[in-house]
Amino acid sequence: MIDDEAVDALGEEILDWRFKSVPASAHGSTVREHARARRPLDEYGTPLMTLDAGALEHNLRVMAGWTEAAGVRLAPHGKTTMAPQLWRRQLEAGCWAITLANLPQLRVARAFGVRRVLLANALLDPAGLAWLSTELEEHPEFEFISWVDSVRSAELMDEALRAARAQRQVDVCVELGGPHGRTGARDKSEAVAVAEAVRKAPTLRLVGSGGYEGALAHDSSKEGLAAVDTYLRRLADLHGRLPYETDEPIVTAGGSAFFDQVVEILGDFGGQVVLRSGAYIAHDDGFYRQISPFVRGAAPSGDDDARLRSAMHGWARVVSRPEPKLALLDAGKRDLPFDEGMPEPQLVRGAGPSPVASARVTALNDQHAFLRDADVEVGDIVRLGLSHPCTAFDKWTLIPVVDDADAECPVVVDLIRTWF
C-alpha cells in the first residue's frame, strides 16, 4: 500500500539548519542515527513540538479496532499530518486508503508509492489531470477516486482527460453538500444530474457518493448533532438512487468529530462505508478532546483505554516576566496551532503541573505566547497542550517523537518528516 523503501530512505536524511526542531549538536547525523541515539529532550531548544510514541500507538490501535467492529473502512485524511511515516503506520494498522485534499498532496503520496488515494475534492486543473492520466497508465496498481459536485466539473474533467489521451477512466464520487456548507451539490436533483453527466463522460466512472458532515456543525450540541443527522440521511437517500458503474460502490463521509453518526446512519444502507477521519492519530487537548465520539459515548462507558489520547505537545521557554501575572513564552503562531483554541499550559518541565494549574494562554503573536497567572520564572520550560492537529503539523518539517511526554525527562526515539 506504500513504498517501504521510499519511506525508509527518510532515515538517511542529514540533519542540519533546515530543521528548526533539531539541536546543532545533531547536525551532520542522519535521522536514523539521531533517533537511535535516544537523546534526552533537554538537549533540544525551544520552541518545539513533539509527538508521544505511546499515544500514537494507542490511537492507531483504538481506531483500527473501532472501525473493524463497526464493519467500515477507514481512509484517514493524510492532509492532517502530511507524514508518509505516519501514513505507513495507518495503512499497516488496516486502513483502506489515504485521503488527500489537493494535487500537491497527491504528488507527495505518489512519490512515496501510496497505492490507493481518495481525493476529497474536485480535480479540475488540466495539467494536473494530464499528470494523473499518465500516472494511472504507467502504474496499473494505482487506484484513485476523486469528487465531482456539478455537471460543469464533470465536463471539464472529461475535456482535460480527452485532451491528455487518457487510457484509464478516472473513478469519481458525486459529492453532496449542505446549506451554508462547503462544496457539494445542494440538492438531490442536482446530484442526480451530476451522476448522469459522469455516466456520459467516457473518461469517468461513477463509483460512489460522498460528502463532509463536519462543515455543518462545530459542536456536540443537540442542534449540531441533529444537523449532522439530517445531512447524513440525505446522503444515504442519494446513495441509494445513483446509477453506479461498479458492483461495490462506496459512500464516504466522516471527519474526526461525528464518525459515529456516519456509521449509525450510512451503515444501514447498501454500499461500503468509508470514513475519512484523520485527526485521530494525534488527537489533541482542545477541539477534538471535547467533541470526539469517544467522549460522547462511542467508547465503552468508563473505559479510558478505549478513548483517544493527545499525542502532540508544544514546549516553550519563559523569556520574560514584565508584569507580576504575565509571562512571555518563546512560541507563537509560527510554531503552534491557534485557530481552534489557544494552547493549554499543562506543566513546567521538572516541576509538574502545579505552577501552571490555573494559568492560561490569552494571546499569541508571531513568536510569543502570553501566559497569565502562572507561577513561573524566566528560563522555565512549559509544556502546552495543543488544539487542532490539522494546523499543527504544517508548522514543523521534522517533529521529534518522545517515548513518554509525561516522563520527568522524555527521550527522543524517532523523527517524523512532513511535506507541506
Side-chain angles (χ1 to χ4, degrees):
M1 294 295 290
I2 195 168
D3 185 343
D4 285 325
E5 290 186 3
V7 177
D8 290 341
L10 294 174
E12 300 305 315
E13 188 157 25
I14 302 297
L15 299 176
D16 57 25
W17 55 268
R18 293 171 297 157
F19 308 111
K20 66 178 182 178
S21 62
V22 175
S25 59
H27 291 182
S29 300
T30 66
V31 167
R32 183 170 291 108
E33 289 168 344
H34 188 67
R36 286 175 175 171
R38 296 178 64 88
R39 306 308 303 171
L41 194 62
D42 286 343
E43 295 184 4
Y44 286 68
T46 54
L48 185 64
M49 189 178 96
T50 63
L51 295 170
D52 184 286
L56 288 173
E57 180 59 32
H58 170 83
N59 294 343
L60 285 165
R61 184 173 61 252
V62 166
M63 197 64 176
W66 191 88
T67 52
E68 181 179 8
V72 298
R73 293 171 177 169
L74 178 59
H77 220 319
K79 73 175 177 64
T80 301
T81 66
M82 286 306 295
Q85 292 154 284
L86 297 180
W87 295 350
R88 175 165 66 177
R89 294 184 64 178
Q90 290 172 301
L91 292 167
E92 288 175 344
C95 290
W96 179 71
I98 295 295
T99 298
L100 297 167
N102 58 33
L103 182 62
Q105 295 171 8
L106 174 59
R107 286 181 171 146
V108 172
R110 289 304 297 152
F112 288 91
V114 178
R115 198 189 64 160
R116 184 183 292 122
V117 172
L118 176 60
L119 189 73
N121 210 338
L123 178 56
L124 304 181
D125 173 16
L129 286 165
W131 171 83
L132 175 65
S133 67
T134 300
E135 195 75 6
L136 288 167
E137 182 178 354
E138 293 181 351
H139 302 277
E141 77 286 355
F142 175 37
E143 300 177 38
F144 174 82
I145 302 173
S146 172
W147 284 7
V148 288
D149 73 347
S150 68
V151 171
R152 180 61 175 155
S153 61
E155 293 172 345
L156 287 172
M157 289 186 72
D158 183 50
E159 290 172 10
L161 290 167
R162 284 173 184 254
R165 301 181 185 276
Q167 300 300 303
R168 284 179 60 186
Q169 289 180 303
V170 173
D171 291 345
V172 297
C173 290
V174 172
E175 180 192 2
L176 181 70
H180 312 296
R182 292 200 307 224
T183 54
R186 289 305 195 248
D187 59 54
K188 182 170 61 180
S189 61
E190 183 182 356
V192 170
V194 175
E196 289 302 320
V198 170
R199 287 180 63 86
K200 292 177 182 178
T203 60
L204 304 177
R205 187 172 74 123
L206 184 62
V207 300
S209 60
Y212 178 54
E213 75 292 340
L216 305 176
H218 203 66
D219 57 41
S220 57
S221 65
K222 182 178 179 180
E223 295 77 14
L225 298 179
V228 169
D229 279 353
T230 297
Y231 167 75
L232 291 172
R233 290 191 182 97
R234 291 178 56 232
L235 179 57
D237 179 63
L238 173 67
H239 182 69
R241 294 173 181 267
L242 297 185
Y244 301 109
E245 300 173 85
T246 176
D247 293 333
E248 296 184 354
I250 67 170
V251 55
T252 175
S256 297
F258 307 107
F259 55 79
D260 57 332
Q261 292 168 263
V262 172
V263 170
E264 180 180 354
I265 293 175
L266 298 184
D268 291 335
F269 291 81
Q272 177 63 59
V273 176
V274 178
L275 300 179
R276 302 192 310 277
S277 316
Y280 77 92
I281 189 169
H283 198 47
D284 71 5
D285 282 308
F287 177 70
Y288 288 113
R289 179 181 64 186
Q290 297 171 7
I291 202 171
S292 168
F294 293 133
V295 173
R296 293 188 285 104
S301 178
D303 186 356
D304 289 339
D305 286 339
R307 296 186 177 188
L308 300 173
R309 301 173 185 169
S310 179
M312 61 178 190
H313 299 91
W315 305 83
R317 193 181 308 268
V318 179
V319 293
S320 179
R321 281 291 309 271
E323 300 172 13
K325 292 189 176 183
L326 173 65
L328 278 299
L329 307 179
D330 64 352
K333 294 179 180 179
R334 303 296 177 90
D335 313 298
L336 307 174
F338 57 93
D339 60 314
E340 292 288 358
M342 290 293 167
E344 173 188 272
Q346 294 182 329
L347 57 82
V348 174
R349 187 185 292 174
S354 296
V356 292
S358 60
R360 66 198 190 283
V361 172
T362 58
L364 293 181
N365 291 163
D366 280 358
Q367 312 293 170
H368 292 94
F370 288 69
L371 178 67
R372 297 188 181 275
D373 300 325
D375 184 16
V376 294
E377 301 294 338
V378 171
D380 286 346
I381 296 176
V382 179
R383 192 186 83 184
L384 301 163
L386 307 178
S387 179
H388 202 202
C390 295
T391 53
F393 283 76
D394 60 332
K395 295 170 174 56
W396 298 88
T397 54
L398 197 67
I399 305 174
V401 180
V402 298
D403 59 343
D404 182 359
D406 290 329
E408 184 173 346
C409 185
V411 171
V412 174
V413 296
D414 201 359
L415 295 163
I416 299 297
R417 184 73 153 90
T418 66
W419 301 88
F420 284 93

